[in-house]
Amino acid sequence: MTQDELKALVGRAAIEYVTPGRVIGVGTGSTVNHFIDALAAMPVPVAGAVSSSVASTERLRARGIRVLEAGEVERLPVYVDGADEIDSRGYMIKGGGAALTREKIVADLAERFVCIADASKAVDVLGRYPLPVEVIEMALPQVVRRFAAIGGTASARAGVRTDNGHPILDVRGLVITDPPALEAEINQWPGVVTVGIFARHRAQVCLLGTAEGVRTLRYSAG
Ligand code: 5RP
């Protein structure tokens, strides 16, 4: 199977975690695009979706799914999204599609984060994929220096602004052995809007697309 076929496989499989008639959280990316297509084909549809990006909003609406603002809901039963890397504890790197800030906001509303990913995203230690960080422009040089001090090489993603109008740094060279600690540390740096480590908002379940089919990984608390 191709990587895209694996993404389609897990996109369809995630429908099992969706309750018809409820509002759910929807992530961003090529894997989620398959999930949105599967959502649109549900015999009893969802009541709507809170979307994590302009791109997902457009796809949801094009398929007849109502999109709600985050402020219109207090809780979501589930948030379904992809990842750039996921480790054996459900900690993730996200933001390859530059949607990390809204992804974290919607994930924060959800009782359960279901990650959908092809097998290439599963890693022992996070960090081979460049870590995305959304930053207020004024603070870019300072944040770049802070990453250098901890062994990371940060460069601005050329020609990219997030849906919130900010630049994105991609940080190479980090070996993230303690994702919760590093996420908490980077969150303290002035000018950082969102770091693409999803540790506090890690996945509870990952549907991993493999050549043998969908592997369901569940992560215990703690
Ligand atoms: C977007 C993300 C995506 O979930 C991540 O980049 C995975 O994308 P894809 O499903 O296209 O491989 O975090 O900001």
Side-chain angles (χ1 to χ4, degrees), residues 71-92:
E72 292 180 81
V73 301
E74 280 187 23
R75 291 301 285 160
L76 296 167
V78 68
Y79 175 65
V80 178
D81 198 358
D84 299 304
E85 285 187 344
I86 182 162
D87 76 8
S88 60
R89 296 164 291 183
Y91 297 138
M92 295 169 285

Side-chain angles (χ1 to χ4, degrees), residues 168-181:
I168 289 258
L169 288 175
D170 289 310
V171 188
R172 293 173 173 78
L174 298 175
V175 179
I176 307 173
T177 51
D178 188 345

Side-chain angles (χ1 to χ4, degrees), residues 145-169:
R145 284 196 298 274
R146 282 190 182 267
F147 275 113
I150 62 166
T153 305
S155 54
R157 200 178 296 178
V160 172
R161 292 273 157 176
T162 68
D163 287 348
N164 315 306
H166 301 126
I168 289 258
L169 288 175

Side-chain angles (χ1 to χ4, degrees), residues 121-140:
K121 309 291 184 66
V123 298
D124 291 331
V125 180
L126 300 179
R128 202 178 46 207
Y129 189 92
L131 176 67
V133 187
E134 183 167 348
V135 178
I136 302 283
E137 178 130 35
M138 176 188 175
L140 273 179

Side-chain angles (χ1 to χ4, degrees), residues 7 28-31 81-84 94-100 103 121:
K7 289 180 181 196
T28 297
S30 55
T31 316
D81 198 358
D84 299 304
K94 290 185 47 54
L100 65 168
E103 290 173 341
K121 309 291 184 66

